[in-house]
Amino acid sequence: MSTPVPDVRMSPAAAVGLVASREISTRLAAKAFRVSTAVMLLLIVVGIVAIKLFSGGGGADATVGYTPATAAFAAPLKGSAQAVGESVDTTPFADEAAGRAKLADGSIDALLTGDGKSVHVQVKKDLDGKLANVLQLLSRQVALDQQITALGGNPAQFEAAVGAAKFVEDPPLEEPYSYDGQQLVLGIAAGVLIYLSLMLNGQGVAQGVVEEKTSRVVELLLSTIKPWQLMAGKVLGIGVVGLVQMIVIGAGGIIAGLATGVLTISVSAAIGTVVWLIVWYLLGFFMYSIVFAALGALVSRQEDVAGATSPALMFVIAGYVVGISVLPSDPGNTFVEVLSVIPVFSPTLMPMRLAMGGVPVWEAVLSVGLVVLLIPGLIWFAARIYRNAVMRSGAKVKLRDALRAA
């Protein structure tokens, strides 16, 4: 495709728009863009369908058989399992021989054996650790009941009294927020999409700068427009393309989730997630891509792009890794809350937290405001580097040299 040459009489906005339109038309027409978008959307839809088809049916964690001699352990076994958050089904057998036959063919996970005076268990090969904890709790309960009986007490009355004892919880100082499992999944999905978009499209900006340097297209363009106009147009064009991809993938995933019943959250909550996803994509992309464009101008070979942009990418990766490793198990983590307000980490962490819910309005507003305030400074910083480095080919331009006035 031939490169349009802007009219020297064009206004800055028109020059930026022309460069942006060139990027948009070129990238939207590229087969790689269409294929990558289709593949990512397909993977999301297939994943949602797989969750629908293969999601667990809520069955018991283990099935334990018992004989007439150990029948008294059946009810306490279920109670012990419930006390530690497990679910155990029990199955009666006429004798130990019948139970061992079912144990051998995998129908049950364990068999209670013995005379019923103490807890004995048999398994086919290995005893599951969680089931072992339940059986240990059962053994202690049996021993306690035997001691109560030996002292002349009634174990049933004792257990009823203990079971009825409850503590009284005073009202909390702050109203807690209950995180829904689907909100957690949406939050992680939002973080992944933001991370991939920043990595792919941000790197695309740097690679585009290097491509134009090596093809000498940049010399033709800079003969008629200013460096900052070229940089802004490139960032704007690639940002629009990335936004189209984000909307297609995000909306497609939400629609597939709601249609299959995998997502049962309200439509308004789903739309809110998509809106915040778009907002943070735009903020994060423009913040980082401006820097990527400047760092890309420092080198003249595509193989050097990764090394030049790695300092900025570290912040993107760090925010993403912290989010997916901490938030699923601790959505209200204070450390993550603080990081999510810091501009360099906000684009990956804040959309995760917003999708999960429970973010105070002031935190959301503050995080957006700080990024918006930072962007003009980054534009000045990046434009200076870009202007002084984009016309220099050959060896990598040192950052301190690029920051010096031309």
Side-chain angles (χ1 to χ4, degrees):
M1 177 180 293
S2 60
T3 303
V5 181
D7 192 320
V8 294
R9 294 168 297 180
M10 280 187 175
S11 66
V16 171
L18 184 59
V19 175
S21 64
R22 169 180 173 265
E23 291 290 341
I24 293 171
S25 60
T26 301
R27 293 178 181 273
L28 288 180
K31 183 178 180 180
F33 170 79
R34 298 195 298 269
V35 171
S36 63
T37 303
V39 168
M40 285 192 285
L41 181 59
L42 180 62
L43 288 175
I44 289 178
V45 173
V46 169
I48 291 173
V49 173
I51 292 174
K52 176 68 174 179
L53 295 177
F54 302 109
S55 58
D61 297 307
T63 301
V64 178
Y66 62 90
T67 63
T70 58
F73 294 156
L77 177 63
K78 288 188 174 183
S80 299
Q82 187 176 7
V84 294
E86 295 293 309
S87 175
V88 173
D89 281 344
T90 55
T91 303
F93 292 100
D95 51 41
E96 290 188 8
R100 289 193 180 98
K102 292 296 182 181
L103 187 63
D105 66 19
S107 299
I108 59 175
D109 300 295
L111 176 67
L112 295 175
T113 60
D115 56 9
K117 294 181 179 179
S118 60
V119 179
H120 290 255
V121 64
Q122 189 171 41
V123 296
K124 182 177 181 179
K125 186 176 292 186
D126 296 317
L127 180 60
D128 178 75
K130 293 181 179 179
L131 181 57
N133 292 335
V134 174
L135 291 168
Q136 181 62 34
L137 189 59
L138 173 64
S139 298
R140 292 176 179 175
Q141 183 62 51
V142 170
L144 179 61
D145 289 347
Q146 291 173 347
Q147 290 298 316
I148 292 172
T149 301
L151 293 172
N154 186 326
Q157 291 180 352
F158 173 80
E159 291 174 11
V162 172
K166 295 181 179 180
F167 66 90
V168 177
E169 183 179 5
D170 293 331
L173 296 178
E174 296 182 7
E175 189 68 24
Y177 185 87
S178 58
Y179 294 92
D180 182 84
Q182 294 191 2
Q183 289 177 302
L184 296 177
V185 173
L186 277 179
I188 297 303
V192 170
L193 280 177
I194 291 287
Y195 170 74
L196 291 177
S197 295
L198 292 180
M199 292 288 287
L200 296 176
N201 296 311
Q203 286 281 75
V205 171
Q207 291 168 350
V209 170
V210 175
E211 181 182 349
E212 290 182 347
K213 285 184 65 173
T214 57
S215 66
R216 298 298 181 180
V217 172
V218 68
E219 295 179 4
L220 177 61
L221 293 173
L222 291 181
S223 65
T224 53
I225 65 176
K226 296 180 179 179
W228 75 265
Q229 295 170 349
L230 176 59
M231 184 185 73
K234 181 172 290 294
V235 169
L236 180 61
I238 296 177
V240 170
V241 173
L243 178 60
V244 171
Q245 190 176 58
M246 177 74 69
I247 292 174
V248 170
I249 295 173
I254 293 292
I255 292 171
L258 293 174
T260 57
V262 171
L263 290 178
T264 57
I265 60 174
S266 65
V267 175
S268 60
I271 293 175
T273 298
V274 174
V275 169
W276 274 117
L277 190 65
I278 293 172
V279 168
W280 275 107
Y281 164 75
L282 291 174
L283 291 173
F285 174 79
F286 285 117
M287 182 177 70
Y288 275 108
S289 62
I290 291 167
V291 178
F292 288 152
L295 296 178
L298 297 175
V299 298
S300 300
R301 301 186 305 170
Q302 291 288 354
E303 53 265 35
D304 295 331
V305 172
T309 58
S310 59
L313 285 175
M314 288 299 101
F315 290 104
V316 179
I317 295 172
Y320 169 73
V321 170
V322 169
I324 64 170
S325 59
V326 176
L327 287 177
S329 58
D330 187 9
N333 185 275
T334 303
F335 176 66
V336 176
E337 288 181 358
V338 174
L339 283 185
S340 67
V341 179
I342 300 175
V344 292
F345 302 112
S346 296
T348 48
L349 288 177
M350 187 54 76
M352 291 189 194
R353 293 187 59 215
L354 288 167
M356 292 175 182
V359 179
V361 175
W362 71 266
E363 284 188 21
V365 173
L366 178 62
S367 62
V368 171
L370 290 177
V371 172
V372 171
L373 290 175
L374 179 63
I375 287 177
L378 289 177
I379 291 175
W380 176 88
F381 176 79
R384 187 178 183 88
I385 296 174
Y386 189 89
R387 179 178 64 249
N388 296 333
V390 73
M391 293 294 292
R392 300 169 65 174
S393 59
K396 179 181 178 181
V397 181
K398 294 182 179 180
L399 183 60
R400 65 173 178 270
D401 293 335
L403 286 172
R404 293 172 184 167

